[in-house]
Amino acid sequence: MKTNILKTTLTALLLGIAMQAAAQLSWSEAFSRFKLEARADGELFTTDSTPNFGFHGKYFNLMLGGDLGEHFSYYFKQRIVANAGSVTFFDNTDFLYLDYRPTQNWRLRFGKDAMAMGGFEYDASPIDVYFPTTLWNNIYCFQLGASGAYITDDGNHTLVAQVTNSPYINSTGLSYDAGLVSYNLCWYGQVGHWQTIWSTSMIERERNKFMNLTMIGNKLVYDKWDIYVDLMHHALATDDWGKNFGFVSCANYYFTPQFNIFVKGMYEQNKSEVDLNSAVALDHLLRAGHTYARYGLGFEWFPTKAKNVRLHIYGCRMTESYTEGGKDVTDATWNFNVGATWTMDFTKLKIKN
């Protein structure tokens, strides 16, 4: 009950701030972003046993953003869920930050934000991601913290330095004041058709003990097609290099601006001896001694010119391999999914007399 009251109070406070700004700014400036978006899927999972299937809501998000004047702006994205958060009342808030932009080249940010890490799968909005990597599923990427960014004059390159709470606080059930942090450096770049999101992070898993997570994302974008390849590597110790890594790639071909086909594949492994020799799981991203592979094909169709409705369908095969009782085991599952995403953009509503 207290959590729900705090959420309501926070939302009312944010709206109050925005309304105060709206008294000095135009409505379109104070609410340059005001959306509701939702996604619902029907899914079928087939294994050697009885298949599982059904319909479920995947996402329901509220997004607000705008100008507060004097170089300040804000952004708020709340993932509306039926259950309360487990750590703080910010748990289901993906973004709630304040930006300060003294010049076009510099930006300071404080609040709840995505950890500044590389990879185009990681960078995409969760509502747009289909059959993601295991790392994507397991990392608690939205954290409270602060960052500074430098943007080049042409806007093609952004360098971000960020300090946030460590995601180990969430994965190990610690309190926010456990004193664990993550230091993140990230480069967002664009050179012609080539785009980049490269990063390296030192994520504190215990006091003064870190995991290094390096993500290298590269993407080629053309009129009719695009493709990205993300490389991921994480290490628990200095002698742990080359054992825990993965990659994910997704290619789109656009038959029309409103219809495309995509293929996606990924491989991930955790062969860390550090984790295998420990009584507890030190790597919260992938289970020790496990490898994961997924690949699939899908379609997207936007039936409206405004692209505020998206229909999708895909099928993928998922495998998880490990050793149990001295035997090699592979669990394989087929996943078939059909769903719809719809966006209600209130900033684009037209008032009819």
Side-chain angles (χ1 to χ4, degrees), residues 44 56 67 71 81 93 114 118-119 141 143 147 151 197 287 311 313:
L44 167 67
H56 66 128
D67 189 1
H71 307 291
V81 296
T93 303
C141 64
Q143 296 291 340
S147 66
I151 304 100
I197 310 178
R287 294 181 64 184
L311 307 178
I313 183 171

Side-chain angles (χ1 to χ4, degrees), residues 127-171:
I127 203 170
D128 298 325
V129 178
Y130 307 119
F131 55 98
T133 57
T134 307
L135 183 151
W136 187 96
N137 271 323
N138 288 343
I139 191 166
Y140 292 86
C141 64
F142 299 108
Q143 296 291 340
L144 284 157
S147 66
Y150 174 77
I151 304 100
T152 57
D153 290 338
D154 57 11
N156 288 335
H157 301 276
T158 301
L159 300 175
V160 180
Q162 182 191 57
V163 180
T164 69
N165 283 341
S166 169
Y168 274 90
I169 291 176
N170 302 76
S171 62

Side-chain angles (χ1 to χ4, degrees), residues 217-233:
N218 295 279
K219 187 175 185 179
L220 289 175
V221 179
Y222 287 85
D223 291 338
K224 299 288 290 185
W225 62 273
D226 59 57
I227 183 172
Y228 70 73
V229 179
D230 296 339
L231 304 176
M232 306 162 284
H233 182 277

Side-chain angles (χ1 to χ4, degrees), residues 10-11 14 62-65 74-78 93 95-96:
L10 175 65
T11 304
L14 184 65
L62 167 66
M63 293 169 286
L64 295 172
Y74 74 96
Y75 180 54
F76 169 52
K77 180 178 179 181
Q78 180 72 28
T93 303
F95 298 95
L96 180 55

Side-chain angles (χ1 to χ4, degrees), residues 27-36 63-65 344-350:
W27 177 271
S28 61
E29 290 174 317
F31 289 100
S32 60
R33 186 178 297 184
F34 186 8
K35 293 182 181 180
L36 280 173
M63 293 169 286
L64 295 172
M344 296 141 278
D345 191 343
F346 297 105
T347 63
K348 294 182 179 180
L349 288 178
K350 295 181 179 180

